[in-house]
């Protein structure tokens, strides 16, 4: 088909229709000369109009349909009529196969060069064009162009090579000579798929008759099952080589790490192996180093909470704890605090296991118990290094707790994490670990407890009618206001992989010590401390903070109730 043409230049049309002013057009043209970007992208970047406004106007001028593809179910086999590399390069997506023609979504349907290339690639089919938003198109790319087919293909190829080898339990020599390329391609596809889907973890789990490869996406595991279960040993062997682990040892757990560059992302992989009945289970935590550190403002904390946390971490001494279960974002919060404190006037030492993000100017120590480099050993030395601020990766034992508390008592700011359910029980946990009450009461300044809840997908959000049981739970939690709130849920769409959720947000509670609370800790009066904490007017429990998010339409009732199950709401 011939590309539709505008009768006037886009900028002049927008001015003529009073969508932008002539002054805004001139500013955009000047900016465009400096950046070389398209005028439409420049106008959106300058916030003179939205992407939807621009594309709806463009569709109207070109007499083309404007499609909201976030609500449209596009089969992966239809999208694959145009290979991913060309789809991303030409910013075009096959939406529908109509037999003798295909419906193509484009954000710039006036791009003659792109249309010429599409006609050649999709011949003999004719092209029917529609205008779609770039943001929705690239979301669709991530979901439609999964690496699942590649993973299955390489797994099948590896099993064939495996069966042809003399030793069915893949030997090291087989990996080095025959199967190395195929194993590498298989793992590359696994990592590419995980990064594309924004997975935080990859699980490789061999079973009796199948191999499970699972990804944790927005806190929930999603599974891909391969029938080629015998290739698991080859994958584990290759991963062990990459992580520098002992490839001959399969009877005990091992931990390691390695780095990868995937699709422009620098990924730090923390790997753990564990012997199970049918081989070795591997879990890999993916840390995107290229994404950069979040600031406290970007963690999801409400503005008033950010101000209070900043006040606590800028005090000259005392201990601030961040608590929550594994995977709740504690380390992210600590690094956000450290990045704000990191300047030339402060000496900062961290003791971690492992060091997750490398920070300039900060002295980061990786503990190594095998050579006696434990948290407590490093902490003692760190106190003699004239630090202003110390960060302890985790309070694991009585010795570490006491050294950290004494450091906080003698003029240092100490930041650390603890594995407890909420802020109130964290202080009591320090006492349970054997720390003296006078130390805890004198040193502890604040405790941040946190969880991650899934965000409702903004593309398919709809109203949620609470049932009787949900309403009872919510009323018990938040009182009568729960009956008047309009809650939402995600219907499920192309953008969120039909889960109804996309991304996560932190839910926080902050418990700040006051004099009566500190006095209760000093005399080991846990009941009085608990009552005083709950009566603290600035204290908002995790469950209520999650309810507030649901009331604002950020998350769902389902996520609130899932969080309530993990915390004490009495």
């Amino acid at each position: 088909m011939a590309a539709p043409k505008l009768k006037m230049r886009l900028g002049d049309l927008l001015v003529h229709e009073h969508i932008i002013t002539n002054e805004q057009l001139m500013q955009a043209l000047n900016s465009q000369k400096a950046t070389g970007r398209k005028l439409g992208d420049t106008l959106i970047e300058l916030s003179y109009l939205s992407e939807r406004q621009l594309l709806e106007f463009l569709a109207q001028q070109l007499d083309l349909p404007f499609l909201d593809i976030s609500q449209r179910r596009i089969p992966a086999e239809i999208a694959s009529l145009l290979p991913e590399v060309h789809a991303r390069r030409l910013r075009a997506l096959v939406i529908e196969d109509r037999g003798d023609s295909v419906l193509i979504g484009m954000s710039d349907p006036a791009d003659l060069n792109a249309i010429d290339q599409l006609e050649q690639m999709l011949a003999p089919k004719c092209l029917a064009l529609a205008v779609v938003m770039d943001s929705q198109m690239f979301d669709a790319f991530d979901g439609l162009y999964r690496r699942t087919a590649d993973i299955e293909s390489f797994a099948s190829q590896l099993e064939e090579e495996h069966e042809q080898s003399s030793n069915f339990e893949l030997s090291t020599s087989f990996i080095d000579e025959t199967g190395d390329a195929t194993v590498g391609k298989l793992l590359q596809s696994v990592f590419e798929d995980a990064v594309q889907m924004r997975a935080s973890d990859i699980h490789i789990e061999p079973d009796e008759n199948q191999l499970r490869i699972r990804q944790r996406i927005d806190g929930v595991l999603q599974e891909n099952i391969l029938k080629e279960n015998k290739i698991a040993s080859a994958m584990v062997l290759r991963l062990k080589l990459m992580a520098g682990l002992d490839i001959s040892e399969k009877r005990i757990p091992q931990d390691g790490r390695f780095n990868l560059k995937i699709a422009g992302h620098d990924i730090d992989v923390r790997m753990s192996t564990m012997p199970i009945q049918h081989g070795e289970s591997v879990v890999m935590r993916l840390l995107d180093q290229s994404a950069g550190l979040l600031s406290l403002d970007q963690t999801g904390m409400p503005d008033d909470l950010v101000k209070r946390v900043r006040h606590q971490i800028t005090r000259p001494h005392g201990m601030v704890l961040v608590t929550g279960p594994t995977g709740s974002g504690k380390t992210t919060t600590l690094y956000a605090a450290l990045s704000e404190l990191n300047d030339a006037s402060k000496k900062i030492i961290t003791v971690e296991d492992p060091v997750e993000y490398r920070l300039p100017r900060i002295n980061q120590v990786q503990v190594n118990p095998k050579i006696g480099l434990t948290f407590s050993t490093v902490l003692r030395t760190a106190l003699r290094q004239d630090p202003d601020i110390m960060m302890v990766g985790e309070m694991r034992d009585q010795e570490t707790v006491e050294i950290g508390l004494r450091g906080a008592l003698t003029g240092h700011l100490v930041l650390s994490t603890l594995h407890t359910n909420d802020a109130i029980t964290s202080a009591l946990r320090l006492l349970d670990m054997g720390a003296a009450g006078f130390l805890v009461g004198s040193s502890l300044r604040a405790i941040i407890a946190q969880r991650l809840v899934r965000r409702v997908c903004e593309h398919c959000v709809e109203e949620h009618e609470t049932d009787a049981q949900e309403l009872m739970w919510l009323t018990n939690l938040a009182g009568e206001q729960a009956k008047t709130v309009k809650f939402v849920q995600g219907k499920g769409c192309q953008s969120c992989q039909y889960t109804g959720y996309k991304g996560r947000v932190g839910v926080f509670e902050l418990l700040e010590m006051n004099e009566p609370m500190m006095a209760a800790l000093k005399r080991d009066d846990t009941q009085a401390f608990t009552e005083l904490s709950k009566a603290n007017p600035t204290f908002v429990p995790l469950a209520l903070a999650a309810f507030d998010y649901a009331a604002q339409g950020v998350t769902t009732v389902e996520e609130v109730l899932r969080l309530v199950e993990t915390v004490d709401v009495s």
Side-chain angles (χ1 to χ4, degrees), residues 151-345:
I151 291 170
E152 292 173 351
S153 173
F154 289 132
S156 177
Q157 183 181 339
L158 181 60
E159 186 176 57
E160 288 179 14
E161 296 172 358
H162 191 164
E163 290 173 345
Q164 292 168 9
S165 67
S166 57
N167 180 6
F168 208 61
E169 288 295 324
L170 283 169
S171 65
T172 307
S173 60
F174 176 80
I175 289 295
D176 290 342
E177 297 166 13
T178 316
D180 186 61
T182 309
V183 176
K185 290 175 183 176
L186 172 58
L187 290 172
Q188 179 80 6
S189 297
V190 169
F191 284 118
E192 285 178 353
D193 190 55
V195 170
Q196 188 166 302
M197 297 307 296
R198 302 177 303 278
S200 60
D201 302 84
I202 302 172
H203 296 233
I204 298 175
E205 302 167 343
D207 210 337
E208 185 177 4
N209 299 311
Q210 57 195 10
L211 173 63
R212 289 185 175 86
I213 298 178
R214 304 201 280 176
Q215 299 175 350
R216 191 173 295 280
I217 301 171
D218 291 338
V220 178
L221 284 172
Q222 297 184 12
E223 187 172 75
N224 182 25
I225 295 178
L226 301 177
K227 66 180 185 298
E228 298 86 358
N229 64 311
K230 290 184 174 63
I231 67 170
S233 57
M235 297 177 69
V236 174
L237 185 57
R238 176 62 182 265
L239 288 168
K240 282 184 172 181
L241 288 169
M242 294 168 69
L245 302 182
D246 184 352
I247 61 175
S248 64
E249 183 56 76
K250 301 179 182 179
R251 301 166 299 170
I252 61 174
Q254 297 187 67
D255 295 313
R257 67 191 302 167
F258 55 91
N259 296 293
L260 292 171
K261 194 170 185 69
I262 303 289
H265 297 259
D266 292 315
I267 306 297
D268 188 19
V269 182
R270 285 165 43 190
M271 174 176 153
S272 171
T273 70
M274 183 176 69
I276 58 175
Q277 188 174 6
H278 299 288
E280 289 180 275
S281 166
V282 175
V283 176
M284 293 175 284
R285 170 67 55 89
L286 308 183
L287 299 168
D288 190 349
Q289 301 287 340
S290 57
L293 293 174
L294 297 180
S295 67
L296 286 173
D297 298 300
Q298 295 170 317
T299 58
M301 285 187 195
D303 291 341
D304 65 316
L305 209 62
V306 170
K307 291 177 183 176
R308 290 163 57 200
V309 169
R310 282 200 174 111
H311 169 69
Q312 294 296 339
I313 65 173
T314 51
R315 298 175 74 165
H317 57 83
M319 177 178 283
V320 177
L321 287 178
V322 181
T323 184
T326 302
S328 59
K330 300 186 298 296
T331 304
T332 300
T333 300
L334 276 182
Y335 274 108
L338 284 180
S339 64
E340 294 202 4
L341 296 170
N342 186 12
D343 63 51
S345 67

Side-chain angles (χ1 to χ4, degrees), residues 21-56:
T21 65
N22 193 61
E23 291 76 16
Q24 289 175 329
L25 175 60
M26 291 300 104
Q27 290 178 15
L29 289 171
N30 290 333
S31 178
Q32 183 191 21
K33 290 177 183 176
T35 63
R37 300 184 66 188
K38 292 183 177 180
L39 178 61
D41 293 336
T42 303
L43 289 166
I44 294 168
E45 186 179 329
L46 293 171
S47 301
Y48 292 155
L49 75 171
S50 69
E51 182 186 11
R52 180 178 285 272
Q53 278 180 298
L54 175 65
L55 294 183
E56 285 181 342

Side-chain angles (χ1 to χ4, degrees), residues 352-369:
E352 305 173 65
D353 184 21
V355 174
E356 295 192 10
Y357 294 95
R358 278 76 171 179
L359 298 173
R361 199 187 289 115
I362 293 179
N363 296 269
Q364 297 174 272
V365 183
Q366 165 82 53
V367 302
N368 187 351

Side-chain angles (χ1 to χ4, degrees), residues 30 71 82:
N30 290 333
Q71 302 296 321
L82 183 64

